[in-house]
Amino acid sequence: MNPNRYAIFFIGLFILIAITAVFRWCLLWNMQFSYMDNEFPYWIQQKDYVQTKSDKQEVIFLGDSRMKAAVIPNKLCENAYNLAVGGGTSIEMYYTLKHYLENHPKPEKVILGFAGGHWVSEGQFTGRDLYFHFLSPSEQLEAQYIGYKSNQWGFQRFKEKIIDTLEYELFFPQKYSAALINSKFKRGEFNHSEYEKNKMNKGQMFFGMNERTEDFNGDANINFVPDKRNDFYLHKIINLCKKHNISFFIEQLPMNTISHEKLGETKFYEKFKSYLSDLESETGITVEKAIPCYEPECFGDSSHVNPRGAERFTAEIKEKYGL
């Protein structure tokens, strides 16, 4: 084979690889409903709602899966919306509120609540934010930088996280191959259905549907050391509300009886309440420190309320805030 044919061969091979890579990227980007797991439609419906223009003033709820399960907007008031996401922390909730304010009137109230574990860990940042492309690339990189800047981790881990972020953003095969193989592109109907259901329920969904659960909630047994990045973004939420003169409140989500009893035997609750008290004194916001205790019949699993528990919590919030 003469040199010209070698050149033509390798140029052709390069073009084929490039075309294949672009085609694969377009396929993965445009068919996410067909292969992503069942949390995807809930996160994306929330993202779409926040970024859709509206002139309706609302009471909005921010938080994680426990808040998402516990507050039923359709039974609360006409203008309520649940913007919590499963596995969420103050990172996602800050960007949620930021984009919400870009497209909606300022909320009448913002009520935020997290499980204990989501005050002390990064939650599902990799498995949801990066995996689902929930945040923009600049927001993802900013959040990773804040982790490094706040001494959450060293430079080597920061570098690894930046590489990880870019690999997700570019749909690297090792990040999505398992989902593609396991799904066989057959999840579309379910995911679209769940998206519409979440939309109809104004962001609310259930995670556990047992009629009774006495399983122990592990949050009652963790060591409460606030995640520095979460604390940073929580303050950004508070400052954003102050800037726009929005009433902001922090609520606590219910625990079942066995978990609540264990709570009193650990140092977690003491440290948690101390952190919240300091936050209240520092910022002047209203913070609920007492974690409600509900009977086992109110829980669908060890962490989340079932419909009975959600109706009870929603009724209590309705009365407490005059909604």
Side-chain angles (χ1 to χ4, degrees):
M1 186 179 290
N2 63 44
N4 288 337
R5 289 185 176 179
Y6 274 117
I8 293 171
F9 172 77
F10 284 111
I11 291 172
L13 182 62
F14 175 79
I15 293 173
L16 178 61
I17 293 172
I19 291 173
T20 302
V22 171
F23 174 76
R24 180 184 173 280
W25 190 92
C26 292
L27 181 69
L28 289 174
W29 178 256
N30 288 290
M31 297 190 68
Q32 293 177 76
F33 273 86
S34 297
Y35 65 86
M36 289 292 192
D37 64 50
N38 59 6
E39 282 274 345
F40 178 75
Y42 311 127
W43 281 66
I44 297 305
Q45 190 278 323
Q46 190 259 47
K47 179 179 179 179
D48 288 346
Y49 183 79
V50 164
Q51 296 184 346
T52 299
K53 292 289 183 181
S54 172
D55 58 2
K56 186 176 184 180
Q57 187 179 43
E58 298 173 308
V59 176
I60 63 173
F61 293 82
L62 305 176
D64 55 15
S65 59
R66 292 191 201 174
M67 177 65 88
K68 194 169 186 65
V71 173
I72 308 173
N74 287 327
K75 294 193 176 182
L76 189 61
C77 60
E78 184 180 348
N79 64 328
Y81 209 97
N82 191 332
L83 294 173
V85 292
T89 66
S90 57
I91 301 171
E92 297 83 14
M93 293 303 100
Y94 166 71
Y95 291 114
T96 289
L97 181 59
K98 178 176 179 289
H99 293 305
Y100 182 93
L101 291 171
E102 292 168 356
N103 297 290
H104 300 249
K106 73 174 187 178
E108 180 183 327
K109 292 181 178 67
V110 173
I111 302 172
L112 175 145
F114 293 111
H118 291 157
W119 291 91
V120 304
S121 74
E122 67 175 33
Q124 296 293 324
F125 187 81
T126 299
R128 295 291 180 255
D129 290 79
L130 301 185
Y131 191 63
F132 292 158
H133 300 259
F134 182 73
L135 303 180
S136 71
S138 62
E139 290 165 350
Q140 293 171 4
L141 294 172
E142 179 184 55
Q144 302 290 34
Y145 175 69
I146 293 302
Y148 169 65
K149 184 181 178 182
S150 63
N151 297 316
Q152 187 88 349
W153 49 69
F155 181 75
Q156 180 60 33
R157 189 178 176 196
F158 172 56
K159 185 174 71 173
E160 291 170 357
K161 284 182 171 289
I162 292 298
I163 294 171
D164 206 36
T165 299
L166 295 174
E167 288 179 347
Y168 276 107
E169 188 60 31
L170 295 172
F171 288 94
F172 268 44
Q174 65 267 34
K175 302 298 185 183
Y176 293 94
S177 294
L180 295 176
I181 294 169
N182 293 332
S183 70
K184 300 178 182 177
F185 288 96
K186 293 182 178 180
R187 294 175 181 165
E189 183 177 352
F190 173 84
N191 283 340
H192 280 291
S193 174
E194 290 300 297
Y195 180 100
E196 292 302 322
K197 185 188 300 183
N198 203 54
K199 184 177 179 180
M200 181 178 65
N201 292 334
K202 294 184 176 180
Q204 191 271 346
M205 65 160 290
F206 292 107
F207 291 82
M209 291 297 286
N210 294 329
E211 294 183 0
R212 175 187 175 91
T213 302
E214 292 188 89
D215 294 339
F216 179 69
N217 181 335
D219 274 358
N221 204 28
I222 64 175
N223 180 30
F224 184 77
V225 179
D227 181 276
K228 293 179 181 177
R229 186 166 63 165
N230 289 350
D231 182 73
F232 175 87
Y233 277 102
L234 175 60
H235 280 79
K236 284 179 75 70
I237 292 172
I238 295 169
N239 291 334
L240 191 57
C241 286
K242 286 184 175 181
K243 177 182 176 181
H244 291 274
N245 196 28
I246 301 167
S247 298
F248 177 76
F249 307 89
I250 292 180
E251 273 294 335
Q252 303 305 322
L253 288 310
M255 279 188 175
N256 62 20
T257 308
I258 187 173
S259 302
H260 203 274
E261 290 174 354
K262 179 68 175 178
L263 196 65
E265 302 171 7
T266 68
K267 292 183 178 180
F268 164 80
Y269 203 11
E270 181 182 334
K271 292 180 180 179
F272 184 49
K273 288 191 291 186
S274 177
Y275 170 80
L276 294 176
S277 295
D278 290 345
L279 183 68
E280 190 173 44
S281 299
E282 174 196 351
T283 63
I285 62 172
T286 301
V287 181
E288 177 61 67
K289 304 172 195 67
I291 297 177
C293 178
Y294 286 6
E295 59 270 19
E297 288 79 8
C298 288
F299 287 85
D301 60 29
S302 63
S303 296
H304 306 98
V305 292
N306 57 20
R308 178 179 177 178
E311 289 188 12
R312 175 177 169 180
F313 186 76
T314 299
E316 291 173 357
I317 291 295
K318 183 180 180 70
E319 181 178 1
K320 182 174 183 177
Y321 292 97
L323 301 175

